[in-house]
Amino acid sequence: MHSTFNIVIWVVCILAVVIALGALIASRNTWEDYGKGRFTMDRDEPRGGSGAELAERDEEIRQLLEARNARRVRRGESPIDVDPELREEIRQLVVARNHRRVRAGKPPLDVEAEIEREIAGLQGL
């Protein structure tokens, strides 16, 4: 009985390895491609968002800022447009964008000028 069971286990394991290798070869992904998907921010290909997608994103950002300010008013605090945390978050996004630009062979952007441009865009919503 043990001999038959061992043979079945080994056959199943070898078959699983062969199927896994076949699936790996058939997927044609390189090692760098694994883990990248639609929701990954570290993509090499351009996003190519349409005007409608960008407008929807801007509208959602505006709604989030309004909701945050409404919560601040309910707590008795004054509403603010740009606080230090938001400025720091924008700075991190600009630094990450510069990292991707340098990796793509493009010149880096001026961080402070980009921060001010992003803030002006948010305030214009």
Side-chain angles (χ1 to χ4, degrees):
M1 182 71 149
H2 281 288
S3 141
T4 306
F5 182 71
N6 286 338
I7 292 173
V8 170
I9 293 294
W10 280 108
V11 168
V12 168
C13 289
I14 291 171
L15 187 61
V17 168
V18 169
I19 291 172
L21 287 175
L24 181 67
I25 292 171
S27 71
R28 299 181 189 259
N29 284 343
T30 63
W31 183 252
E32 290 81 22
D33 293 335
Y34 283 102
K36 290 186 179 180
R38 291 181 35 202
F39 302 112
T40 306
M41 294 195 56
D42 188 25
R43 295 185 295 187
D44 293 331
E45 67 271 1
R47 291 179 62 172
S50 68
E53 290 172 350
L54 294 176
E56 181 180 355
R57 182 202 65 185
D58 291 345
E59 176 66 21
E60 288 176 356
I61 291 171
R62 184 189 60 73
Q63 290 173 357
L64 288 171
L65 290 174
E66 286 177 356
R68 183 186 64 182
N69 280 336
R71 284 191 305 273
R72 289 181 61 85
V73 168
R74 281 195 305 267
R75 289 190 306 242
E77 301 172 357
S78 63
I80 54 175
D81 289 330
V82 179
D83 58 4
E85 292 89 22
L86 180 59
R87 185 175 288 276
E88 181 58 31
E89 185 176 344
I90 292 171
R91 175 182 301 282
Q92 291 172 1
L93 291 172
V94 170
V95 168
R97 188 180 306 148
N98 270 347
H99 179 69
R100 288 190 301 272
R101 286 179 62 87
V102 168
R103 195 174 55 211
K106 298 176 183 176
L109 302 170
D110 179 35
V111 174
E112 293 303 319
E114 278 298 303
I115 291 172
E116 294 305 319
R117 187 183 67 79
E118 290 288 335
I119 290 173
L122 288 174
Q123 290 174 342
L125 291 176

